[in-house]
Amino acid sequence: MHRLTQFQDGLIAALALLGAAATLLLMLHVGVDIVMRNIWNAPIPATWEIVTHYYMVTMAFIPLAWVEKTGGMVQVEVINGMLSPGVMRVSDILVAVLGAVIYGALFLVTVQAALRSTATGQFVMANDVMVVIWPAYWLPPLGFGIAALSVAVRGLRLTIGAKP
């Protein structure tokens, strides 16, 4: 169990670096685009396309596993105060199983979309500039897959009685 948790933590740390890099690159890219557009009237071509297809997708899907691991997802605790610790544990296990199934399904659907996009070499045109976007289709499956792992590990830890 300890090795599985270490593996999960390593993946989450790598995703955190990827998300941080995307955030910094977004700020740098847009900042330079604004300066170039306003001072030299020469914006960076396809900035909007790169921002929407790469940076924003990375920032939306990559942090899912970290949010799940830290318990940062939205939780509705209407009846939690009325549940006994044992029933609460069962509820948490069921939520983890359901979350893993949902993230797993999202992983499979987004992998299929990524495979189609990769096979066709999907791109967009922005003022005569071809922007290849098929690699960005692999970001959601990466986020969903590791989120599924994170939730499954939490459920497993709850099941064996370890601290979540």
Side-chain angles (χ1 to χ4, degrees):
M1 189 69 205
H2 180 66
R3 284 195 177 160
L4 182 59
T5 303
Q6 282 182 321
F7 177 71
Q8 172 197 12
D9 290 345
L11 287 175
I12 291 172
L15 291 183
L17 288 174
L18 182 60
T23 304
L24 292 173
L25 285 171
L26 169 70
M27 292 187 303
L28 179 65
H29 189 154
V30 171
V32 169
D33 180 61
I34 290 168
V35 168
M36 289 179 65
R37 182 180 335 117
N38 289 320
I39 294 178
W40 296 290
N41 197 26
I44 299 173
T47 294
W48 183 84
E49 287 77 8
I50 293 169
V51 166
T52 57
H53 289 284
Y54 283 96
Y55 302 137
M56 297 306 284
V57 172
T58 301
M59 293 185 330
F61 293 105
I62 293 303
L64 288 173
W66 178 79
V67 172
E68 282 292 350
K69 177 150 175 60
T70 59
M73 281 295 190
V74 175
Q75 296 177 357
V76 180
E77 299 178 352
V78 175
I79 62 170
N80 284 358
M82 297 180 275
L83 300 177
S84 69
V87 174
M88 189 67 187
R89 183 171 165 254
V90 170
S91 172
D92 288 344
I93 291 169
L94 290 174
V95 167
V97 169
L98 182 61
V101 168
I102 291 170
Y103 280 130
L106 289 169
F107 169 77
L108 292 175
V109 169
T110 56
V111 162
Q112 291 171 351
L115 287 170
R116 281 191 306 273
S117 179
T118 301
T120 60
Q122 192 167 5
F123 65 92
V124 294
M125 294 298 293
N127 294 336
D128 297 326
V129 175
M130 184 175 86
V131 180
V132 176
I133 62 168
W134 66 262
Y137 277 79
W138 289 99
L139 295 168
L142 182 65
F144 287 135
I146 298 176
L149 173 68
S150 183
V151 175
V153 168
R154 184 177 70 226
L156 184 61
R157 292 181 67 78
L158 286 165
T159 302
I160 64 172
K163 187 177 177 183

